Amino acid sequence: MSTIGFVGLGAMGSRMALNLHQAGHKLCVWNRDRTKLTPLLDKGIAPADSPAAVARDAELVVSMVADDIASREVMLGALGVVGAAAPGAIVIDSSTNSPALAREIAAAAARRGVAYLDAPVLGSIAQAQNRELVFVVGGEQAAFDQAQPVLAAMGRLTRRVGPSGAGATLKLVNNMLTGSVTAALVEAAQVAEAAGLDRAAVSEILGEGAAGSRLVKTKLPKIFQRDFTPQFQLELMEKDLRYFVALAQEVDRAVPLAALVRSQFHAARRAQLGKLDSCALFLQATGEKAPG
Ligand code: NAP
C-alpha cells in the first residue's frame, strides 16, 4: 500500500480513483468542482484543498483532467503538483494532452527530482469502471516500473512506448483514428437510415464486418437510438483532433483527412454540441435537434 494523490474526478478520474481505493491504496483527492468529491468522501477517502496539497505527502500522484489548459494549471500553477511534490515522487498524467506540454511538464518535474510520466489511456467510461484501461506511457523506464502496481489497479494493459511525450503522441494518433471512424459512422448511419435499412440489422452486420470495432458496436446503436448522453464528450474529441493536427504540422506531415474531420467536430462544438457524446456529430451533419 502506498499513499496516492489523485487530481481530477470527472467521468474518467472518479472511476479510476475508486479502483485505486478498492485495491487498498490510501488516497487523497482534489477536484476543482468540490461537489464531485462527495461520492469519494462518503467512502472515507481524504479530500485536499489544492493539487499541491494532494502532492505534498504522496509518493505518487495520478492526474486526469480535461486538456493542456487544465493540466498546466494543476501541474505547473502556483498551487500545482510539480512545485509541491517531494523529490523521488512519481506523477502519472493520464489526461490526453499535447506531447509538447508533456515534455514541458516532465522537464519542470525533473528539475525538482520528480518523475513525470505522460500516461494517457485507451478506453472510455466502461473500461475505466472495470479496470480495463490501456495505459500508453512516455517517460523514464525506472519510474514506469515503479508505477506498475498502481497502473495495474486501474487498467488491463500498460506499455511504455518511449521517452516523455511518446505516450501523448501515440494517444493522439489513436484518437485521430477514433475521430475519423466516428465521422465515417455518422455518414454510414445517415445513408443506411435514408435508404430504409433496418437499424438493428445494420448495427449487427457492421459489427461483424472487417470494419467492426468497439466504436461500431457502441456508437452506431447510440446514433440510431438518438442517445447522445456523453461517454466521451464531443468537445474532448475536437480537442484531441486539434492537438493531432498541430502535431502533424510540427513534424511536417500533411493530414487532410484529420483536418477535415477536425473541422466537422469544430463546427459541432461551436453549435453547442460539445457536452454531448462525440457521436452527436450526427446532429451537426443532419441538422436534427438534440433530443430532450
Ligand atoms: P470530464 O468528465 O469533463 O472531466 C474533466 C476533469 O478535468 C474534471 O475533473 C474537471 O474539473 C477538470 N478540469 C477541467 N478544466 C480544469 C481546470 N482548468 N483546472 C482544473 N481542473 C480542470 O472529462 P473525462 O471524460 O473524465 O476526460 C478526462 C481526460 O481523459 C481528458 O483529457 C479526455 O480527453 C481523456 N479521456 C476521456 C475518455 C472518455 O471516454 N471520457 C477516454 C479516454 C481519455 P471540474 O469537475 O471542476 O470541471
Side-chain angles (χ1 to χ4, degrees):
M1 179 166 110
S2 56
T3 307
I4 298 176
F6 205 106
V7 172
L9 302 169
M12 297 290 286
S14 57
R15 291 167 170 86
M16 293 161 69
L18 272 180
N19 282 336
L20 290 174
H21 172 69
Q22 277 158 15
H25 294 286
K26 190 176 161 209
L27 272 191
C28 177
V29 297
W30 177 84
N31 194 67
R32 182 181 61 174
D33 171 358
R34 296 189 65 82
T35 62
K36 292 185 188 165
L37 291 172
T38 308
L40 286 93
L41 305 196
D42 290 347
K43 296 197 179 309
I45 297 171
D49 286 337
S50 65
V54 156
R56 213 159 278 137
D57 300 318
E59 294 150 41
L60 193 145
V61 177
V62 183
S63 181
M64 190 55 161
V65 294
D67 54 13
D68 276 11
I69 295 171
S71 292
R72 181 178 291 285
E73 181 68 27
V74 303
M75 289 295 154
L76 302 178
L79 292 174
V81 167
V82 169
I90 297 173
V91 179
I92 299 174
D93 197 336
S94 287
S95 322
T96 304
N97 292 329
S98 68
L101 183 73
R103 287 189 288 267
E104 182 186 334
I105 299 173
R111 287 194 287 276
R112 298 205 63 255
V114 173
Y116 175 88
L117 300 171
D118 46 296
V121 297
L122 310 190
S124 191
I125 292 175
Q127 290 71 36
Q129 179 107 21
N130 299 326
R131 302 179 189 188
E132 289 171 352
L133 292 171
V134 173
F135 287 87
V136 192
V137 184
E140 292 295 328
Q141 182 73 47
F144 173 76
D145 291 343
Q146 268 180 272
Q148 278 302 325
V150 172
L151 297 172
M154 299 184 285
R156 67 175 172 82
L157 182 69
T158 305
R159 286 283 181 273
R160 178 182 173 272
V161 294
S164 284
T169 302
L170 184 44
K171 169 67 184 175
L172 294 186
V173 171
N174 180 77
N175 278 25
M176 175 275 190
L177 284 177
T178 56
S180 302
V181 170
T182 303
L185 282 175
V186 163
E187 290 189 5
Q190 284 179 78
V191 173
E193 283 190 352
L197 288 177
D198 176 69
R199 292 174 175 86
V202 174
S203 293
E204 184 193 1
I205 296 303
L206 295 187
E208 295 296 326
S213 62
R214 194 161 72 219
L215 271 182
V216 169
K217 287 172 186 156
T218 58
K219 300 300 182 193
L220 206 50
K222 270 176 85 72
I223 292 171
F224 285 148
Q225 289 157 22
R226 303 298 192 265
D227 168 14
F228 300 112
T229 51
Q231 303 287 323
F232 181 46
Q233 292 169 56
L234 187 144
E235 66 183 15
L236 295 176
M237 178 64 89
E238 189 273 333
K239 173 258 305 183
D240 294 353
L241 289 162
R242 180 160 30 100
Y243 291 172
F244 176 83
V245 171
L247 171 65
Q249 286 179 349
E250 282 169 34
V251 296
D252 191 24
R253 288 294 180 272
V255 287
L257 178 63
L260 172 65
V261 172
R262 189 259 155 161
S263 71
Q264 293 175 335
F265 276 97
H266 182 245
R269 198 202 78 203
R270 304 260 312 174
Q272 311 299 325
L273 299 173
K275 298 290 180 198
L276 299 179
D277 190 73
S278 57
C279 67
L281 186 66
F282 183 84
L283 297 173
Q284 177 69 12
T286 58
E288 282 181 31
K289 292 259 169 290

